[in-house]
Amino acid sequence: MVLSWRRSRKSGRISAKKDAGVETPERIFTTPTHFLCPISLDLMKDPVTLSTGITYDRESIEKWVDSGNKTCPVTNQTLTNFDQIPNHAIRKMIQLWCVENKSQGIERIPTPRIPITKSDVSDICSNISISTARKDHSKCIELVNKVKRWMRESEKNRKCLIEGGVGDVLSTAFEFFTTVCINENDEVLSVILSALPSLFPISEEAQTKLVSVPSIRCMARYVKKEDPNSVLLLKELTVCKERNAITITHELLSIEEMEESLMKIVKLQLTPRATKAALTLIYQIITIYSSSSNSTRFANADFVSILIDLIVDSERSLCEMAMAVMDAICLFEVGRKRVKEHAMTMPVMVKKLLRVSGMATELSVSVIWRLCKNDEAGCCVEAIKLGCFQKLLVVLQVGCGGKTKEKVSELLKMMNQYRGKLECFDSTMNLKHINRPSF
């Protein structure tokens, strides 16, 4: 006869009864109350004891403290400190109890990893600095890999490493190894690059070390190697401070084939984060140096096609960034020409109106406005056929920013003179019916 078990969350009681229709007394299986967290009332996976002597599950008490509470949930006493001492005795008892009751469907809880302390962070910072000064590549790589392992274990570890200044120490190490023979330090630089993007924010002094000419050129070298971490680090630096963005953009423009390398990162889509980071850098290059001939290199048919695909198929933030780059490309004539030549541009821009987000709608309006303003008859007629006029009216009704509102009003005026002469297509049409051009 088959028995089905059920657990009561609050009492920790587990009962079993026959599946048959005949009523039988339930067999009660009770979890010891001192194994349950007083907050969640669940079996404790990582029991820790506070200064008040009460034991809680670490995750539950951390949420309690992080919410701004300064008292013990059980005793209501003010906590003199927030130290959480692992209760190994209770944990071992819980694990033993789980093993003994395995036949009742109880799984043994794994031994938890103890979070790192400020002392651990201080020690590793000191050791990284020493190994860097000694040019001890292998030791430095070992320590950085240890930092990465700690970060993977928990978000709390990562925050502790950031607060302890590990990012600053690694920034110093990175600059140091870029000032000597890069080829000899290739492995250690690559490992540091893989850790740094996750250790932001860093201090202004550390940022200064990473935006030095040798550091930027070293990162650019890894971009050409299609290393996603180099793009992520450059992007993190540019969003920290406007001066960083200008310095990095200026230096990247001076490096041969840098634009092509960034476009290749976008094309390969190594990771969503790296793709978005590369798009961010491209956007900054175009907008900061829009008058530079280098910026027009992004206005090529292949790259426009890649952007269209990203806008159609990507998640929201990546879609928005691709649309922002598309809008930036339309700032100059050759860019508008390439964007207009792509058969999918106008259908996609109209399709994305009111579909993705407020920002995506504003960017769609901006792209359509730039194209129609410079080729009123051709682009306006195409947009009207796709149902753009009706969608723009809705954009006005739901509300939009001041500049976007002006663009919408101007577009409606331009389109109105052609509207009566044309029959609009269904604005809900599926994009799969539009033939994609081959490049």
Side-chain angles (χ1 to χ4, degrees), residues 210-250:
L210 291 177
V211 296
S212 65
V213 173
S215 293
I216 295 174
R217 288 192 165 270
C218 178
M219 284 181 258
R221 180 171 171 267
Y222 282 94
V223 172
K224 291 185 176 182
K225 289 183 175 182
E226 300 166 12
D227 181 353
N229 296 305
S230 57
V231 182
L232 288 170
L233 183 53
L234 285 168
K235 177 257 183 181
E236 289 291 345
L237 288 166
T238 57
V239 299
C240 283
K241 190 190 299 182
E242 185 178 354
R243 186 183 302 172
N244 289 352
I246 295 173
T247 302
I248 291 172
T249 301
H250 176 75

Side-chain angles (χ1 to χ4, degrees), residues 183-365:
N183 291 329
E184 294 178 1
N185 301 316
D186 187 72
E187 186 178 0
V188 67
L189 286 168
S190 178
V191 172
I192 294 174
L193 267 179
S194 67
L196 266 174
S198 299
L199 290 167
F200 273 66
I202 58 176
S203 68
E204 288 194 15
E205 183 180 353
Q207 291 177 43
T208 302
K209 295 180 183 299
L210 291 177
V211 296
S212 65
V213 173
S215 293
I216 295 174
R217 288 192 165 270
C218 178
M219 284 181 258
R221 180 171 171 267
Y222 282 94
V223 172
K224 291 185 176 182
K225 289 183 175 182
E226 300 166 12
D227 181 353
N229 296 305
S230 57
V231 182
L232 288 170
L233 183 53
L234 285 168
K235 177 257 183 181
E236 289 291 345
L237 288 166
T238 57
V239 299
C240 283
K241 190 190 299 182
E242 185 178 354
R243 186 183 302 172
N244 289 352
I246 295 173
T247 302
I248 291 172
T249 301
H250 176 75
E251 194 59 39
L252 291 180
L253 282 175
S254 68
I255 299 173
E256 188 177 355
E257 297 183 351
M258 198 66 244
E259 297 89 345
E260 289 77 6
S261 297
L262 287 172
M263 287 190 286
K264 190 173 183 180
I265 294 287
V266 175
K267 180 180 180 180
L268 292 174
Q269 297 186 47
L270 303 172
T271 66
R273 287 183 65 210
T275 304
K276 188 177 178 181
L279 287 170
T280 302
L281 291 172
I282 291 171
Y283 177 80
Q284 289 172 342
I285 289 174
I286 296 174
T287 54
I288 294 176
Y289 291 95
S290 57
S291 60
S292 171
S293 59
N294 288 342
S295 296
T296 60
R297 294 181 186 176
F298 296 111
N300 65 71
D302 287 337
F303 188 55
V304 170
S305 183
I306 292 169
L307 290 177
I308 291 292
D309 288 340
L310 285 173
I311 293 169
V312 171
D313 300 324
S314 302
E315 49 85 22
R316 190 187 72 177
S317 62
L318 190 52
C319 172
E320 289 172 347
M321 199 64 243
M323 292 177 80
V325 173
M326 178 81 78
D327 185 45
I329 289 175
C330 290
L331 286 171
F332 35 87
E333 185 178 355
V334 64
R336 290 190 295 272
K337 181 181 178 182
R338 293 289 179 265
V339 171
K340 186 177 62 175
E341 286 174 351
H342 197 295
M344 287 283 287
T345 298
M346 193 62 76
V348 168
M349 290 300 109
V350 174
K351 187 76 174 179
K352 292 299 178 180
L353 285 171
L354 303 168
R355 282 294 187 93
V356 181
S357 65
M359 180 179 291
T361 293
E362 292 187 0
L363 290 167
S364 296
V365 168

Side-chain angles (χ1 to χ4, degrees), residues 37-301:
C37 174
I39 297 175
S40 66
L41 302 179
D42 287 331
L43 191 67
M44 290 186 285
K45 298 178 180 178
D46 187 5
V48 293
T49 304
L50 300 188
S51 58
T52 57
I54 307 298
T55 298
Y56 301 91
D57 187 67
R58 187 188 296 276
E59 182 180 356
S60 297
I61 194 61
E62 282 182 351
K63 288 180 179 179
W64 171 266
V65 174
D66 290 343
S67 297
N69 298 294
K70 298 181 180 179
T71 58
C72 175
V74 171
T75 66
N76 205 33
Q77 291 177 308
T78 301
L79 295 171
T80 56
N81 61 67
F82 298 100
D83 294 341
Q84 299 167 13
I85 303 171
N87 193 326
H88 297 298
I90 287 291
R91 175 181 55 77
K92 290 178 181 177
M93 290 170 64
I94 293 173
Q95 288 178 323
L96 179 61
W97 176 84
C98 290
V99 172
E100 290 175 347
N101 294 280
K102 183 179 180 181
S103 61
Q104 313 299 338
I106 306 298
E107 294 184 2
R108 180 184 182 277
I109 62 169
T111 301
R113 296 181 182 275
I114 300 175
I116 60 175
T117 64
K118 292 181 180 179
S119 177
D120 294 327
V121 176
S122 178
D123 288 344
I124 203 162
C125 283
S126 177
N127 290 332
I128 291 174
S129 296
I130 292 171
S131 62
T132 299
R134 293 176 177 174
K135 299 181 183 179
D136 189 342
H137 297 178
S138 59
K139 185 62 177 179
C140 193
I141 291 170
E142 177 189 333
L143 293 168
V144 177
N145 283 329
K146 188 174 184 179
V147 168
K148 290 167 62 179
R149 186 170 64 253
W150 280 347
M151 286 194 288
R152 286 194 298 268
E153 287 177 3
S154 71
E155 179 63 16
K156 184 175 181 180
N157 280 357
R158 190 182 76 86
K159 289 180 179 178
C160 189
L161 289 164
I162 292 173
E163 292 170 359
V166 175
D168 292 9
V169 173
L170 288 183
S171 299
T172 302
F174 186 83
E175 185 195 37
F176 175 82
F177 286 118
T178 59
T179 57
V180 292
C181 183
I182 294 180
N183 291 329
E184 294 178 1
N185 301 316
D186 187 72
E187 186 178 0
V188 67
L189 286 168
S190 178
V191 172
I192 294 174
L193 267 179
S194 67
L196 266 174
S198 299
L199 290 167
F200 273 66
I202 58 176
S203 68
E204 288 194 15
E205 183 180 353
Q207 291 177 43
T208 302
K209 295 180 183 299
L210 291 177
V211 296
S212 65
V213 173
S215 293
I216 295 174
R217 288 192 165 270
C218 178
M219 284 181 258
R221 180 171 171 267
Y222 282 94
V223 172
K224 291 185 176 182
K225 289 183 175 182
E226 300 166 12
D227 181 353
N229 296 305
S230 57
V231 182
L232 288 170
L233 183 53
L234 285 168
K235 177 257 183 181
E236 289 291 345
L237 288 166
T238 57
V239 299
C240 283
K241 190 190 299 182
E242 185 178 354
R243 186 183 302 172
N244 289 352
I246 295 173
T247 302
I248 291 172
T249 301
H250 176 75
E251 194 59 39
L252 291 180
L253 282 175
S254 68
I255 299 173
E256 188 177 355
E257 297 183 351
M258 198 66 244
E259 297 89 345
E260 289 77 6
S261 297
L262 287 172
M263 287 190 286
K264 190 173 183 180
I265 294 287
V266 175
K267 180 180 180 180
L268 292 174
Q269 297 186 47
L270 303 172
T271 66
R273 287 183 65 210
T275 304
K276 188 177 178 181
L279 287 170
T280 302
L281 291 172
I282 291 171
Y283 177 80
Q284 289 172 342
I285 289 174
I286 296 174
T287 54
I288 294 176
Y289 291 95
S290 57
S291 60
S292 171
S293 59
N294 288 342
S295 296
T296 60
R297 294 181 186 176
F298 296 111
N300 65 71

